[in-house]
């Protein structure tokens, strides 16, 4: 395993599988309720699956394809699950569209703007196949919406629900994971090996923090 | 023989259609969806042929990245349609999902067998039947299983359906990658090692459901 990209994919695969196993055991053994938590676990699971596919490519073929491959779909799918969790499952509960929250909604726009800038740079800088640009555009567009809601939920004040307070670390971890995952896509496509390895480590830490804090947060709220 | 797959489809489909008329209820549903699976195989063969014809990528890349995506999306469509429009009962979705996959595999195996008639053997047939047959069946059955949850939780409609299809695509791509490599026996074992625990979980849940039902009746 002397290829940093294979090492990075392997680290990301193992780390996210650990997070996934923890999440699944919470759901099945401890019967952790909360659709928000279950969707987050699914998101981390699909990310792990994508990395597994990459490790398998290295193991069987010795290299990753030069073009877009199925492993990227794991990242895109993770983004879709995170958006479903933060917008579909959580936003109506935390933001009732009152006037006082407008400043938080506006401030949260910084996150999608940064994501859009990163996505645009990733697509435009460097020589890539069309399929890879499509994957970057797809992942980036979904992540823009996802990080907006995560950033908003991070900034919103806790109005006695105590849930906002309990999931602040979740939202922060989700934002870090989204940016790391997009960065991993780009650095893998461009074969920027050391940065890919670094981002893999960030992604693993973010995924583990995400699952553990979400489970604790949902459990505290449902008590 | 460009029309070979169509000849095979007609040979297999006509007797099944005649059988369909005599069947009722769930049996008719399963055989019907097997026919749909075979039709999806026809459709997939045309799309895969178009992709190969472009010559833009190697066969290895196409078979491990593009054909799994095409085939799993096509196979998922009838199952998702049934789940969202007709019924989301797990008892119906699982056999339907399996039937679509098995129907797909039957036509695919028949075509490959006829196309490679000089080299096929019984061991080849056993491996192909178990490996590809189970793999296709499991992929689509998992979509049926997931769809039974997704419809109940509306917010998972889009992400859940996409997630299931991505899961099936990666599973299929993994199988193709393994069987084309030095780890081909791992590839052949993969569907068996997935199918057995899946059956165990399903039978265990069924026993629990039956026990609860008996308890309600006699309690």
């Amino acid at each position: 395993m002397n290829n940093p990209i294979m090492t990075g994919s392997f680290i990301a695969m193992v780390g996210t599988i650990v997070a996934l196993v923890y999440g699944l055991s919470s759901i099945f053994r401890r019967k952790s309720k909360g659709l928000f938590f279950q969707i987050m676990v699914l998101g981390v699971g699909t990310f792990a699956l994508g990395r597994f596919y990459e490790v398998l490519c290295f193991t069987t073929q010795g290299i990753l394809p030069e073009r877009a491959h199925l492993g990227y779909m794991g990242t895109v799918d993770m983004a879709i699950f995170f958006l479903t969790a933060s917008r579909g499952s959580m936003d109506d509960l935390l933001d009732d569209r009152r006037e006082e929250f407008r400043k938080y909604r506006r401030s949260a726009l910084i996150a999608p703007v940064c994501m859009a800038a990163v996505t645009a740079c990733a697509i435009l800088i460097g020589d890539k196949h069309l399929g890879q640009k499509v994957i970057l555009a797809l992942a980036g567009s979904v992540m823009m919406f996802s990080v907006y809601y995560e950033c908003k939920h991070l900034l919103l004040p806790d109005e006695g629900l105590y849930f906002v307070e309990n999931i602040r670390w979740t939202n922060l971890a989700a934002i870090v994971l989204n940016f790391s995952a997009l960065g991993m896509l780009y650095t893998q496509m461009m074969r920027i090996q050391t940065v890919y390895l670094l981002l893999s480590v960030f992604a693993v830490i973010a995924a583990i923090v995400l699952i553990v804090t979400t489970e604790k947060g949902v459990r505290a709220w449902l008590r | 023989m460009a029309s070979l797959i169509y000849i095979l489809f007609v040979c297999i489909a006509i007797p099944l259609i005649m059988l369909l008329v005599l069947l009722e209820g769930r049996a008719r549903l399963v055989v019907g969806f097997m026919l749909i699976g075979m039709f999806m195989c026809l459709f997939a063969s045309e799309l895969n042929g178009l992709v190969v014809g472009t010559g833009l990528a190697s066969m290895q890349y196409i078979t491990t990245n593009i054909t799994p995506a095409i085939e799993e999306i096509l196979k998922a469509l009838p199952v998702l349609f049934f789940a969202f429009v007709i019924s989301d009962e797990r008892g119906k979705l699982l056999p339907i999902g399996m039937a679509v996959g098995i129907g797909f595999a039957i036509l695919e195996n028949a075509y490959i067998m006829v196309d490679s008639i000089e080299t096929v053997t019984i061991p080849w047939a056993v491996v192909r039947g178990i490996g590809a047959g189970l793999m296709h069946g499991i992929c689509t059955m998992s979509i049926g299983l997931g769809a039974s949850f997704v419809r109940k939780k509306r917010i998972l409609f889009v992400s859940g359906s996409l997630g299931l299809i991505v899961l099936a695509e990666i599973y299929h791509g993994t199988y193709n990658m393994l069987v084309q490599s030095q780890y081909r026996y791992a590839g052949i074992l993969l569907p068996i090692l997935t199918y057995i625990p899946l059956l165990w979980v399903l039978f265990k849940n069924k026993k629990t459901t039956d026990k609860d039902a008996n308890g309600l009746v006699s309690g």
Side-chain angles (χ1 to χ4, degrees):
Chain A
M1 213 183 294
N2 48 12
N3 181 325
I5 290 188
M6 181 177 177
T7 309
S9 293
F10 184 77
I11 289 170
M13 179 189 78
V14 169
T16 48
I17 285 174
V18 166
L20 174 67
V21 167
Y22 178 85
L24 289 174
S25 84
S26 296
I27 291 169
F28 290 109
R29 263 188 334 111
R30 290 194 277 180
K31 309 270 189 256
S32 284
K33 296 186 184 13
L35 191 57
F36 178 70
F37 174 63
Q38 292 169 1
I39 299 173
M40 284 299 199
V41 171
L42 286 173
V44 168
T46 53
F47 183 75
L49 205 57
R51 305 297 69 74
F52 166 74
Y53 186 83
E54 288 166 3
V55 170
L56 197 64
C57 271
F58 275 114
T59 311
T60 57
Q61 297 166 23
I63 49 160
L64 281 177
E66 290 289 323
R67 301 161 179 265
H69 58 74
L70 282 179
Y72 295 156
M73 290 308 295
T75 303
V76 174
D77 213 33
M78 177 197 80
I80 296 173
F81 275 120
F82 282 7
L83 176 60
T84 306
S86 45
R87 167 69 186 98
S89 178
M90 203 45 61
D91 195 57
D92 288 340
L93 189 68
L94 300 181
D95 183 1
D96 54 8
R97 311 289 178 263
R98 66 179 80 165
E99 196 58 34
E100 299 92 80
F101 284 175
R102 189 185 280 200
K103 61 181 180 206
Y104 301 111
R105 285 184 221 113
R106 283 199 179 135
S107 305
L109 287 171
I110 186 77
V113 167
C114 288
M115 182 58 81
V118 169
T119 306
C121 290
I123 292 171
L124 295 171
I125 298 173
D127 196 25
K128 288 177 279 302
H129 286 280
L130 178 62
Q132 291 174 321
K133 293 182 184 179
V134 168
I135 292 287
L136 284 168
L138 201 54
S141 336
V142 177
M143 284 176 181
M144 272 170 53
F145 289 94
S146 174
V147 296
Y148 166 70
Y149 290 105
E150 285 150 11
C151 190
K152 186 173 74 160
H153 300 160
L154 187 62
L155 298 173
L156 283 173
D158 199 312
E159 296 260 304
L161 283 175
Y162 303 114
F163 188 57
V164 173
E165 204 53 51
N166 284 328
I167 61 163
R168 283 203 203 285
W169 279 104
T170 297
N171 287 311
L172 185 61
I175 292 169
V176 170
L177 184 52
N178 273 311
F179 275 99
S180 302
L182 189 72
M184 283 172 70
L185 279 181
Y186 176 72
T187 50
Q188 192 190 94
M189 290 172 188
M190 300 306 298
R191 305 291 195 250
I192 307 171
Q193 297 174 342
T194 315
V195 179
Y196 180 80
L197 189 53
L198 200 62
L199 289 171
S200 305
V201 174
F202 285 157
V204 165
I205 295 170
I208 293 172
V209 168
L210 175 79
I211 295 298
V212 171
T213 56
T214 309
E215 198 261 336
K216 286 182 172 13
V218 170
R219 209 158 16 109
W221 186 51
L222 291 175
R223 209 175 286 148
Chain B
M1 214 188 297
S3 59
L4 174 62
I5 196 164
Y6 290 95
I7 294 169
L8 285 166
F9 177 75
V10 168
C11 282
I12 301 172
I14 288 179
L16 283 176
I17 291 169
M18 291 194 286
L19 176 63
L20 207 59
V21 174
L22 297 173
L23 297 173
E24 289 174 358
R26 190 162 293 186
R28 178 184 278 183
L29 205 59
V30 169
V31 172
F33 273 86
M34 263 181 64
L35 279 164
I36 291 172
M38 287 170 55
F39 180 75
M40 288 305 178
C41 182
L42 266 186
F43 197 178
S45 76
E46 290 296 333
L47 289 177
N48 290 338
L50 283 172
V51 170
V52 170
T54 61
L56 289 174
S58 66
M59 274 310 288
Q60 186 177 45
Y61 176 79
I62 290 172
T63 56
T64 54
N65 289 282
I66 301 181
T67 55
I70 291 172
E71 291 174 8
E72 293 312 321
I73 290 170
L74 288 176
K75 285 191 299 170
L77 292 176
V79 180
L80 291 174
F81 179 85
F82 188 90
F84 291 112
V85 175
I86 300 169
S87 167
D88 65 345
E89 263 184 62
R90 196 187 299 182
K92 287 184 182 162
L93 284 172
L94 291 186
I96 279 169
M98 192 72 171
V100 171
I102 295 291
F104 191 103
I106 286 174
L107 188 60
E108 185 187 71
N109 286 347
Y111 175 75
I112 293 172
M113 182 197 73
V114 174
D115 204 44
S116 319
I117 198 72
E118 307 290 328
T119 56
V120 296
T121 58
I122 290 180
W124 175 91
V126 170
V127 163
R128 190 76 213 169
I130 293 173
L134 264 187
M135 183 274 297
H136 280 297
I138 285 167
C139 284
T140 329
M141 190 167 76
S142 68
I143 289 176
L145 177 63
S148 67
F149 293 108
V150 164
R151 199 164 175 248
K152 290 175 179 55
K153 298 182 174 169
R154 292 269 167 190
I155 63 163
L156 279 178
F157 176 80
V158 172
S159 59
S161 302
L162 281 172
L164 290 169
I165 293 172
V166 166
L167 180 71
E169 285 174 5
I170 294 181
Y171 186 86
H172 189 159
T174 300
Y175 172 81
N176 284 0
M177 218 188 310
L178 285 171
V179 296
Q180 290 174 34
S181 72
Q182 58 189 313
Y183 305 105
R184 63 178 63 86
Y185 292 109
I188 295 160
L189 281 175
L190 177 67
I192 300 168
L193 294 176
T194 318
Y195 190 54
I196 293 170
L198 200 60
L199 276 186
W200 181 77
V201 167
L202 292 172
F203 281 127
K204 194 169 155 232
N205 286 341
K206 189 173 183 303
K207 258 192 190 168
T208 315
T209 314
D210 289 346
K211 220 198 269 182
D212 291 342
N214 286 336
L216 280 172
V217 166
S218 61

